[in-house]
């Protein structure tokens, strides 16, 4: 039994169906499929606000959001006049992030369950 399993594994490695790190071509294809998802204009605009490309990962988007939030948050302002503007910018950024976060979550679920 183990000999047969070893033969199947060897054949899979040789044919390229399975690479040495254990990632199958099917998994690579599903990852590529995620990248081929049509990105709505609203998400593209929100990613531009975060200064990200449209193929940005969720992790990089989240990191960019936190950096941008630190940059514009009202608590980082010394002047009272700019605090109100920063508050409005922060609210907009939070709304934009919510849109991005929901979109990533939705597309991650559809990638897991394509049918």
């Amino acid at each position: 039994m183990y000999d047969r399993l070893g033969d199947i594994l060897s054949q899979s490695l040789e044919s390229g169906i399975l690479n040495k790190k254990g990632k199958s071509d099917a998994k690579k294809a599903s990852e590529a499929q995620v990248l081929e998802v049509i990105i709505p204009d609203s998400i593209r605009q929100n990613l531009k606000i975060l200064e990200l490309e449209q193929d940005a990962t969720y992790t990089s988007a989240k990191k960019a959001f936190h950096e941008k939030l630190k940059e514009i948050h009202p608590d980082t302002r010394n002047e009272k006049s700019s605090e109100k503007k920063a508050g409005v910018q922060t609210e907009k950024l939070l709304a934009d992030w919510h849109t991005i976060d929901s979109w990533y979550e939705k597309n991650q679920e559809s990638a897991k369950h394509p049918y």
Side-chain angles (χ1 to χ4, degrees), residues 14-109:
E14 289 170 6
S15 67
I17 293 173
L18 188 68
N19 66 24
K20 290 188 180 186
K21 291 184 181 178
K23 190 180 267 189
S24 69
D25 285 342
K27 183 165 181 153
K28 288 179 192 175
S30 70
E31 289 172 356
Q33 199 174 30
V34 171
L35 295 177
E36 292 175 10
V37 171
I38 297 172
I39 300 173
D41 288 337
S42 61
I43 300 300
R44 288 179 196 208
Q45 290 170 353
N46 292 342
L47 290 172
K48 281 183 185 178
I49 290 168
L50 295 176
E51 299 171 5
L52 293 171
E53 297 295 321
Q54 63 184 10
D55 62 348
T57 64
Y58 177 79
T59 305
S60 63
K62 190 172 183 179
K63 184 177 179 181
F65 162 71
H66 284 287
E67 289 173 4
K68 189 77 165 179
L69 186 61
K70 286 178 189 176
E71 187 180 302
I72 66 169
H73 197 275
D75 290 347
T76 61
R77 308 292 179 171
N78 293 331
E79 300 172 15
K80 288 284 183 192
S81 61
S82 65
E83 276 185 28
K84 187 173 182 177
K85 182 180 178 183
V88 171
Q89 288 175 332
T90 300
E91 286 177 19
K92 175 152 179 27
L93 181 65
L94 287 170
D96 292 344
W97 171 250
H98 179 71
T99 303
I100 292 171
D101 186 46
S102 298
W103 183 81
Y104 271 106
E105 185 176 313
K106 177 184 169 192
N107 284 291
Q108 188 175 30
E109 286 301 314

